[in-house]
Amino acid sequence: LIAGERAKASTAYVSALHYLVAGTALLADSGWDDRADLMFPLEFHRAECEFLTGELAAAEARLAMLASRAAGAVDQAAVACLRIDLYTTLMQAERAVDVALGYLRNLGGEWEPHPNEELVRREYERTRSLLGGREIEGLIDVPLMSKPESAAVVEVMDKAIPPATFTDRNLFVLLLWRIVNFSLEHGNTDASCYAYVHGGVLAGVRFGNYKFGLRLGQLG
């Protein structure tokens, strides 16, 4: 596993595959029962290397298997994100969106592939209540998101934005604003910057509040 991770980090994906396949073989058929803590990363990194070397069918099958094996929100998010990347690469935007929304629904909340205007506006207006008495500019000092589970949620939403641009404009806007609001509640991440900038554009173009949008964009 260590050799495979190092090779992958050096972009030696073919070599990484050899190490990861060898590691899986050493654990044999009882690996998932005896050492799931080793089997999951071996198989996950293997799927990623298959994806990166163009073995897309193998990567898709392995990720489908891992989706049922992943334990906990963080591992489930990692699998979901890689599946979203895979389906986006294959120009299967609807399948990518389905994977993302399936993950997000399991955590609760209202997630539809084609949300209506009312839901989108409600999410936008919720930003004001979350700000409370805080100034937008002060959000630059909000602590970084500390919980891995929270960061995993944002990563899935962020990954879903590119395919959502091809499937539903309202879903694209909803994802961006939910990242904004999630960041206000749980702290900033790299994805927060992206959401603040694009949310700033949408605040003006979509909701007519250009001053708010400018300040949000400057925050990003």
Side-chain angles (χ1 to χ4, degrees), residues 99-214:
V99 169
L101 298 190
Y103 173 85
L104 294 169
R105 284 192 199 102
N106 286 336
L107 302 177
E110 189 176 353
W111 287 103
E112 297 295 333
H114 303 286
N116 58 36
E117 181 71 26
E118 180 186 355
L119 180 61
V120 175
R121 179 166 286 278
R122 194 161 68 238
E123 194 66 35
Y124 163 72
E125 291 173 349
R126 196 164 75 91
T127 304
R128 292 309 190 108
S129 64
L130 288 174
L131 278 171
R134 295 179 293 177
E135 295 291 335
I136 294 174
E137 291 77 9
L139 298 179
I140 194 71
D141 298 319
V142 168
L144 295 177
M145 203 171 288
S146 58
K147 293 184 178 179
E149 295 81 4
S150 299
V153 173
V154 173
E155 188 174 2
V156 172
M157 288 193 286
D158 186 47
K159 288 281 187 181
I161 288 173
T165 62
F166 296 102
T167 62
D168 191 281
R169 180 67 178 175
N170 279 349
L171 179 61
F172 165 75
V173 178
L174 183 65
L175 284 163
L176 277 169
W177 277 107
R178 285 197 168 163
I179 293 176
V180 169
N181 289 338
F182 203 82
S183 301
L184 296 184
E185 292 176 301
H186 300 282
N188 287 320
T189 70
D190 289 344
S192 305
C193 307
Y194 176 86
Y196 292 152
V197 170
H198 286 270
V201 174
L202 292 168
V205 174
R206 185 69 178 264
F207 303 109
N209 195 337
Y210 288 92
K211 290 183 179 180
F212 177 74
L214 175 61

Side-chain angles (χ1 to χ4, degrees), residues 6 27-28 32 50 63 66 70 74-75 96 119 135 139 143 153 208:
R6 287 178 177 172
L27 289 173
W32 280 111
E50 288 169 339
L63 288 168
L66 287 171
V74 175
D75 285 347
L119 180 61
E135 295 291 335
L139 298 179
V153 173

